Amino acid sequence: MLRRVQYWAVVMFAVMLPIGQSPTEVALGIGLLAWMVPCITRRRWPVIPRTPLNLLLVAWFLIAVCSFWNSVDLGASLRGLQKLLKYFALYLLVYETMDSQRSLTGVLKGCVVGMALVVGDGLWQAIFGYDLIYHRPPSYALGGVERVEATFHHPGSLGGYLATFTPLMVTLGLLGTRRWRWPLLGVCGLTAIVVVLNRSRSGLLAFVCGLVIVAYWLRQPAPLVLAAMNAGVSIM
């Protein structure tokens, strides 16, 4: 029972990631609780994976602690450290939960749902002037240029999210089953439109670079064509 709660908590974290901080923290808290209760009752230590990522996370943590010496805002530094610990806990939870192809597939579906929600919300905001979830208007750059930000508080955050998950969606669409191929590629096409409406230069650069890497990795030209079209439209 607790194992299923742990699994669905990770899935909901993937779904709620673009929605807001509170829902993701609730999902993470439930997942960690479902994971730790059996460890406490059976008196065993949680399994920590031995991967090269551990050293990077430890180094990141030590750098964050050392940065306190030059911090001008101790509260902000503590919040940054708290966020780092939160994602380290997520890393351990995901490692403990993803023990089969079925569980991995469920989390990937959660990522797809979250991506579809934020892309649809971004298009809604561009058309009707407010997003569906928080009813916020788009932001405006200097000169009155409208920038879609969907559920996020800043256009740059939306650009980073789309650049992170679009390569995953494209890969799943091109290599996945025929049943999901066209829906996933359709979401990727709509994502390209939202990236243009987002008008984030760093987000566009990361989006294009991610698609170029996917095209090289899969040896397929479709991601490269999408990247070139997106870059061309954005420049125009």
Side-chain angles (χ1 to χ4, degrees), residues 117-130:
L117 284 174
V118 78
V119 168
D121 192 59
L123 292 173
W124 184 279
Q125 188 180 54
I127 296 172
F128 296 102
Y130 65 94

mmCIF file with all atom_site columns, all heavy atoms in Angstrom, residues 117-130:
data_model
loop_
_atom_site.group_PDB
_atom_site.id
_atom_site.type_symbol
_atom_site.label_atom_id
_atom_site.label_alt_id
_atom_site.label_comp_id
_atom_site.label_asym_id
_atom_site.label_entity_id
_atom_site.label_seq_id
_atom_site.pdbx_PDB_ins_code
_atom_site.Cartn_x
_atom_site.Cartn_y
_atom_site.Cartn_z
_atom_site.occupancy
_atom_site.B_iso_or_equiv
_atom_site.pdbx_formal_charge
_atom_site.auth_seq_id
_atom_site.auth_comp_id
_atom_site.auth_asym_id
_atom_site.auth_atom_id
_atom_site.pdbx_PDB_model_num
ATOM 1   N N   . LEU A 1 117 ? -0.289  20.406 -19.940 1.00 0.00 ? 117 LEU A N   1
ATOM 2   C CA  . LEU A 1 117 ? -1.019  21.417 -19.174 1.00 0.00 ? 117 LEU A CA  1
ATOM 3   C C   . LEU A 1 117 ? -0.404  22.798 -19.339 1.00 0.00 ? 117 LEU A C   1
ATOM 4   O O   . LEU A 1 117 ? -1.111  23.787 -19.584 1.00 0.00 ? 117 LEU A O   1
ATOM 5   C CB  . LEU A 1 117 ? -1.040  21.025 -17.688 1.00 0.00 ? 117 LEU A CB  1
ATOM 6   C CG  . LEU A 1 117 ? -1.991  19.908 -17.276 1.00 0.00 ? 117 LEU A CG  1
ATOM 7   C CD1 . LEU A 1 117 ? -1.774  19.550 -15.802 1.00 0.00 ? 117 LEU A CD1 1
ATOM 8   C CD2 . LEU A 1 117 ? -3.435  20.334 -17.490 1.00 0.00 ? 117 LEU A CD2 1
ATOM 9   N N   . VAL A 1 118 ? 0.912   22.887 -19.217 1.00 0.00 ? 118 VAL A N   1
ATOM 10  C CA  . VAL A 1 118 ? 1.548   24.199 -19.269 1.00 0.00 ? 118 VAL A CA  1
ATOM 11  C C   . VAL A 1 118 ? 1.546   24.764 -20.687 1.00 0.00 ? 118 VAL A C   1
ATOM 12  O O   . VAL A 1 118 ? 1.395   25.978 -20.879 1.00 0.00 ? 118 VAL A O   1
ATOM 13  C CB  . VAL A 1 118 ? 2.981   24.116 -18.695 1.00 0.00 ? 118 VAL A CB  1
ATOM 14  C CG1 . VAL A 1 118 ? 3.945   23.514 -19.680 1.00 0.00 ? 118 VAL A CG1 1
ATOM 15  C CG2 . VAL A 1 118 ? 3.476   25.488 -18.272 1.00 0.00 ? 118 VAL A CG2 1
ATOM 16  N N   . VAL A 1 119 ? 1.662   23.909 -21.699 1.00 0.00 ? 119 VAL A N   1
ATOM 17  C CA  . VAL A 1 119 ? 1.600   24.386 -23.080 1.00 0.00 ? 119 VAL A CA  1
ATOM 18  C C   . VAL A 1 119 ? 0.200   24.891 -23.404 1.00 0.00 ? 119 VAL A C   1
ATOM 19  O O   . VAL A 1 119 ? 0.027   25.969 -23.996 1.00 0.00 ? 119 VAL A O   1
ATOM 20  C CB  . VAL A 1 119 ? 2.020   23.258 -24.051 1.00 0.00 ? 119 VAL A CB  1
ATOM 21  C CG1 . VAL A 1 119 ? 1.687   23.641 -25.493 1.00 0.00 ? 119 VAL A CG1 1
ATOM 22  C CG2 . VAL A 1 119 ? 3.506   22.990 -23.920 1.00 0.00 ? 119 VAL A CG2 1
ATOM 23  N N   . GLY A 1 120 ? -0.823  24.127 -23.009 1.00 0.00 ? 120 GLY A N   1
ATOM 24  C CA  . GLY A 1 120 ? -2.194  24.582 -23.225 1.00 0.00 ? 120 GLY A CA  1
ATOM 25  C C   . GLY A 1 120 ? -2.495  25.866 -22.487 1.00 0.00 ? 120 GLY A C   1
ATOM 26  O O   . GLY A 1 120 ? -3.160  26.771 -23.018 1.00 0.00 ? 120 GLY A O   1
ATOM 27  N N   . ASP A 1 121 ? -1.976  25.989 -21.272 1.00 0.00 ? 121 ASP A N   1
ATOM 28  C CA  . ASP A 1 121 ? -2.191  27.200 -20.487 1.00 0.00 ? 121 ASP A CA  1
ATOM 29  C C   . ASP A 1 121 ? -1.485  28.396 -21.126 1.00 0.00 ? 121 ASP A C   1
ATOM 30  O O   . ASP A 1 121 ? -2.011  29.519 -21.128 1.00 0.00 ? 121 ASP A O   1
ATOM 31  C CB  . ASP A 1 121 ? -1.685  26.991 -19.062 1.00 0.00 ? 121 ASP A CB  1
ATOM 32  C CG  . ASP A 1 121 ? -2.139  28.082 -18.117 1.00 0.00 ? 121 ASP A CG  1
ATOM 33  O OD1 . ASP A 1 121 ? -3.352  28.280 -17.969 1.00 0.00 ? 121 ASP A OD1 1
ATOM 34  O OD2 . ASP A 1 121 ? -1.268  28.752 -17.536 1.00 0.00 ? 121 ASP A OD2 1
ATOM 35  N N   . GLY A 1 122 ? -0.289  28.164 -21.678 1.00 0.00 ? 122 GLY A N   1
ATOM 36  C CA  . GLY A 1 122 ? 0.425   29.241 -22.345 1.00 0.00 ? 122 GLY A CA  1
ATOM 37  C C   . GLY A 1 122 ? -0.303  29.734 -23.576 1.00 0.00 ? 122 GLY A C   1
ATOM 38  O O   . GLY A 1 122 ? -0.388  30.953 -23.828 1.00 0.00 ? 122 GLY A O   1
ATOM 39  N N   . LEU A 1 123 ? -0.849  28.810 -24.368 1.00 0.00 ? 123 LEU A N   1
ATOM 40  C CA  . LEU A 1 123 ? -1.613  29.210 -25.551 1.00 0.00 ? 123 LEU A CA  1
ATOM 41  C C   . LEU A 1 123 ? -2.882  29.955 -25.158 1.00 0.00 ? 123 LEU A C   1
ATOM 42  O O   . LEU A 1 123 ? -3.260  30.949 -25.793 1.00 0.00 ? 123 LEU A O   1
ATOM 43  C CB  . LEU A 1 123 ? -1.963  27.972 -26.382 1.00 0.00 ? 123 LEU A CB  1
ATOM 44  C CG  . LEU A 1 123 ? -0.785  27.269 -27.059 1.00 0.00 ? 123 LEU A CG  1
ATOM 45  C CD1 . LEU A 1 123 ? -1.233  25.968 -27.705 1.00 0.00 ? 123 LEU A CD1 1
ATOM 46  C CD2 . LEU A 1 123 ? -0.151  28.179 -28.107 1.00 0.00 ? 123 LEU A CD2 1
ATOM 47  N N   . TRP A 1 124 ? -3.535  29.495 -24.102 1.00 0.00 ? 124 TRP A N   1
ATOM 48  C CA  . TRP A 1 124 ? -4.735  30.175 -23.608 1.00 0.00 ? 124 TRP A CA  1
ATOM 49  C C   . TRP A 1 124 ? -4.392  31.607 -23.170 1.00 0.00 ? 124 TRP A C   1
ATOM 50  O O   . TRP A 1 124 ? -5.134  32.551 -23.460 1.00 0.00 ? 124 TRP A O   1
ATOM 51  C CB  . TRP A 1 124 ? -5.333  29.389 -22.457 1.00 0.00 ? 124 TRP A CB  1
ATOM 52  C CG  . TRP A 1 124 ? -6.628  29.952 -21.927 1.00 0.00 ? 124 TRP A CG  1
ATOM 53  C CD1 . TRP A 1 124 ? -6.779  30.985 -21.049 1.00 0.00 ? 124 TRP A CD1 1
ATOM 54  C CD2 . TRP A 1 124 ? -7.947  29.518 -22.267 1.00 0.00 ? 124 TRP A CD2 1
ATOM 55  N NE1 . TRP A 1 124 ? -8.106  31.231 -20.799 1.00 0.00 ? 124 TRP A NE1 1
ATOM 56  C CE2 . TRP A 1 124 ? -8.847  30.345 -21.525 1.00 0.00 ? 124 TRP A CE2 1
ATOM 57  C CE3 . TRP A 1 124 ? -8.461  28.529 -23.086 1.00 0.00 ? 124 TRP A CE3 1
ATOM 58  C CZ2 . TRP A 1 124 ? -10.236 30.186 -21.614 1.00 0.00 ? 124 TRP A CZ2 1
ATOM 59  C CZ3 . TRP A 1 124 ? -9.844  28.368 -23.173 1.00 0.00 ? 124 TRP A CZ3 1
ATOM 60  C CH2 . TRP A 1 124 ? -10.705 29.202 -22.447 1.00 0.00 ? 124 TRP A CH2 1
ATOM 61  N N   . GLN A 1 125 ? -3.297  31.765 -22.477 1.00 0.00 ? 125 GLN A N   1
ATOM 62  C CA  . GLN A 1 125 ? -2.880  33.090 -22.026 1.00 0.00 ? 125 GLN A CA  1
ATOM 63  C C   . GLN A 1 125 ? -2.585  34.012 -23.205 1.00 0.00 ? 125 GLN A C   1
ATOM 64  O O   . GLN A 1 125 ? -2.908  35.207 -23.172 1.00 0.00 ? 125 GLN A O   1
ATOM 65  C CB  . GLN A 1 125 ? -1.647  32.972 -21.132 1.00 0.00 ? 125 GLN A CB  1
ATOM 66  C CG  . GLN A 1 125 ? -1.241  34.267 -20.447 1.00 0.00 ? 125 GLN A CG  1
ATOM 67  C CD  . GLN A 1 125 ? -0.014  34.088 -19.578 1.00 0.00 ? 125 GLN A CD  1
ATOM 68  O OE1 . GLN A 1 125 ? 1.018   33.607 -20.050 1.00 0.00 ? 125 GLN A OE1 1
ATOM 69  N NE2 . GLN A 1 125 ? -0.114  34.465 -18.324 1.00 0.00 ? 125 GLN A NE2 1
ATOM 70  N N   . ALA A 1 126 ? -1.982  33.471 -24.254 1.00 0.00 ? 126 ALA A N   1
ATOM 71  C CA  . ALA A 1 126 ? -1.666  34.283 -25.428 1.00 0.00 ? 126 ALA A CA  1
ATOM 72  C C   . ALA A 1 126 ? -2.924  34.717 -26.174 1.00 0.00 ? 126 ALA A C   1
ATOM 73  O O   . ALA A 1 126 ? -2.991  35.832 -26.709 1.00 0.00 ? 126 ALA A O   1
ATOM 74  C CB  . ALA A 1 126 ? -0.750  33.494 -26.370 1.00 0.00 ? 126 ALA A CB  1
ATOM 75  N N   . ILE A 1 127 ? -3.950  33.859 -26.183 1.00 0.00 ? 127 ILE A N   1
ATOM 76  C CA  . ILE A 1 127 ? -5.166  34.156 -26.944 1.00 0.00 ? 127 ILE A CA  1
ATOM 77  C C   . ILE A 1 127 ? -6.131  35.034 -26.152 1.00 0.00 ? 127 ILE A C   1
ATOM 78  O O   . ILE A 1 127 ? -6.658  36.033 -26.668 1.00 0.00 ? 127 ILE A O   1
ATOM 79  C CB  . ILE A 1 127 ? -5.857  32.838 -27.365 1.00 0.00 ? 127 ILE A CB  1
ATOM 80  C CG1 . ILE A 1 127 ? -4.954  32.051 -28.328 1.00 0.00 ? 127 ILE A CG1 1
ATOM 81  C CG2 . ILE A 1 127 ? -7.202  33.129 -28.023 1.00 0.00 ? 127 ILE A CG2 1
ATOM 82  C CD1 . ILE A 1 127 ? -5.461  30.659 -28.631 1.00 0.00 ? 127 ILE A CD1 1
ATOM 83  N N   . PHE A 1 128 ? -6.342  34.689 -24.879 1.00 0.00 ? 128 PHE A N   1
ATOM 84  C CA  . PHE A 1 128 ? -7.384  35.347 -24.095 1.00 0.00 ? 128 PHE A CA  1
ATOM 85  C C   . PHE A 1 128 ? -6.839  36.367 -23.085 1.00 0.00 ? 128 PHE A C   1
ATOM 86  O O   . PHE A 1 128 ? -7.624  37.049 -22.426 1.00 0.00 ? 128 PHE A O   1
ATOM 87  C CB  . PHE A 1 128 ? -8.226  34.301 -23.359 1.00 0.00 ? 128 PHE A CB  1
ATOM 88  C CG  . PHE A 1 128 ? -8.978  33.393 -24.291 1.00 0.00 ? 128 PHE A CG  1
ATOM 89  C CD1 . PHE A 1 128 ? -8.517  32.109 -24.536 1.00 0.00 ? 128 PHE A CD1 1
ATOM 90  C CD2 . PHE A 1 128 ? -10.120 33.822 -24.938 1.00 0.00 ? 128 PHE A CD2 1
ATOM 91  C CE1 . PHE A 1 128 ? -9.190  31.256 -25.398 1.00 0.00 ? 128 PHE A CE1 1
ATOM 92  C CE2 . PHE A 1 128 ? -10.816 32.979 -25.797 1.00 0.00 ? 128 PHE A CE2 1
ATOM 93  C CZ  . PHE A 1 128 ? -10.341 31.698 -26.036 1.00 0.00 ? 128 PHE A CZ  1
ATOM 94  N N   . GLY A 1 129 ? -5.527  36.445 -22.931 1.00 0.00 ? 129 GLY A N   1
ATOM 95  C CA  . GLY A 1 129 ? -4.950  37.472 -22.072 1.00 0.00 ? 129 GLY A CA  1
ATOM 96  C C   . GLY A 1 129 ? -4.802  37.096 -20.615 1.00 0.00 ? 129 GLY A C   1
ATOM 97  O O   . GLY A 1 129 ? -4.429  37.948 -19.801 1.00 0.00 ? 129 GLY A O   1
ATOM 98  N N   . TYR A 1 130 ? -5.051  35.854 -20.256 1.00 0.00 ? 130 TYR A N   1
ATOM 99  C CA  . TYR A 1 130 ? -4.848  35.394 -18.878 1.00 0.00 ? 130 TYR A CA  1
ATOM 100 C C   . TYR A 1 130 ? -4.701  33.880 -18.894 1.00 0.00 ? 130 TYR A C   1
ATOM 101 O O   . TYR A 1 130 ? -5.196  33.212 -19.794 1.00 0.00 ? 130 TYR A O   1
ATOM 102 C CB  . TYR A 1 130 ? -6.012  35.798 -17.968 1.00 0.00 ? 130 TYR A CB  1
ATOM 103 C CG  . TYR A 1 130 ? -7.333  35.147 -18.331 1.00 0.00 ? 130 TYR A CG  1
ATOM 104 C CD1 . TYR A 1 130 ? -7.753  33.969 -17.717 1.00 0.00 ? 130 TYR A CD1 1
ATOM 105 C CD2 . TYR A 1 130 ? -8.172  35.722 -19.291 1.00 0.00 ? 130 TYR A CD2 1
ATOM 106 C CE1 . TYR A 1 130 ? -8.959  33.376 -18.048 1.00 0.00 ? 130 TYR A CE1 1
ATOM 107 C CE2 . TYR A 1 130 ? -9.380  35.139 -19.627 1.00 0.00 ? 130 TYR A CE2 1
ATOM 108 C CZ  . TYR A 1 130 ? -9.767  33.966 -19.009 1.00 0.00 ? 130 TYR A CZ  1
ATOM 109 O OH  . TYR A 1 130 ? -10.963 33.377 -19.350 1.00 0.00 ? 130 TYR A OH  1
#
